[in-house]
Amino acid sequence: MRRYVLTGTPGAGKTSILRCLARQGFEVIEEAATAVIAEAQARGEAEPWARTSFIDEVVELQKRRQLGAPATDSVQVFDRSPVCTHALAHYLGRPVSSALTAEIQRITAEEVYERQVLFVRNLGFCETTSARRIGFQESLVFEKIHEQSYRSFGFELIDIPAGDLADRVAAVSSVISRPDS
């Protein structure tokens, strides 16, 4: 089983790429932070990321989704990983919790994800949504923090440059479709 992480700054187009990959038959595992935010906002909580438990809730959902993903396909593509949650904690100025530390230790020791991480570059803008309330300049800061987090844990970043959606999907597909080495 090969598990790839697709990541990048908020608003870079990851979701669009993942939808295309799913239509091509790849197994895609959705982003946990967005789900945690959406669930809390549906209950009337405007800014769940301000809650002290937010990071650990994201980590727990990421772990459940990774462990619960069926192991029937040869390739899975994850919308973010606990390393992204590490970057998020730093971006939010939060301490790295023991739950996050333990999960990163688990995924690195068990080599859960491929060492090559598909890093989707920004599109030159960032549209805000109810779950994504950062502007373009803030997204560039977040992008740098993501890069630093992944590199600090020994991952290799494969750049998926800004451009046409079809070209970006083709770039991702060319990496994840390679036969096992």
Side-chain angles (χ1 to χ4, degrees), residues 37-57:
I37 292 168
E39 183 179 306
Q41 287 179 337
R43 292 189 316 263
E45 186 178 354
E47 297 181 354
W49 51 85
R51 204 175 339 112
T52 57
S53 63
F54 176 71
I55 295 293
D56 286 350
E57 291 172 39

Side-chain angles (χ1 to χ4, degrees), residues 30-154:
E30 299 292 327
E31 181 181 4
T34 300
V36 170
I37 292 168
E39 183 179 306
Q41 287 179 337
R43 292 189 316 263
E45 186 178 354
E47 297 181 354
W49 51 85
R51 204 175 339 112
T52 57
S53 63
F54 176 71
I55 295 293
D56 286 350
E57 291 172 39
V58 173
V59 170
E60 178 57 32
L61 183 54
Q62 284 172 323
K63 183 176 182 177
R64 280 197 326 262
R65 286 183 172 178
Q66 184 268 308
L67 292 172
T72 56
D73 293 302
S74 61
V75 174
Q76 293 175 337
V77 184
F78 286 77
D79 187 347
R80 300 202 183 274
S81 80
V83 177
C84 295
T85 309
H86 180 272
L88 179 60
H90 282 281
Y91 178 77
L92 294 174
R94 304 272 180 82
V96 175
S97 70
S98 58
L100 177 54
T101 298
E103 184 59 3
I104 290 175
Q105 288 172 343
R106 182 187 76 84
I107 67 165
T108 54
E110 295 177 13
E111 298 179 341
V112 169
Y113 301 105
E114 295 295 313
R115 300 311 283 172
Q116 292 184 315
V117 172
L118 302 152
F119 200 91
V120 180
R121 292 298 171 178
N122 74 77
L123 293 169
F125 64 90
C126 181
E127 295 180 13
T128 59
T129 67
S130 61
R132 181 188 331 122
R133 295 191 189 164
I134 74 171
F136 181 61
Q137 292 305 315
E138 294 169 299
S139 77
L140 295 178
V141 171
F142 201 21
E143 183 177 61
K144 291 285 184 216
I145 294 169
H146 265 84
E147 288 181 70
Q148 293 166 351
S149 289
Y150 273 98
R151 286 191 173 115
S152 73
F153 291 109

Side-chain angles (χ1 to χ4, degrees), residues 169-181:
V169 171
V172 170
S173 293
S174 72
V175 173
I176 66 178
S177 297
R178 292 180 189 152
D180 290 328
S181 309

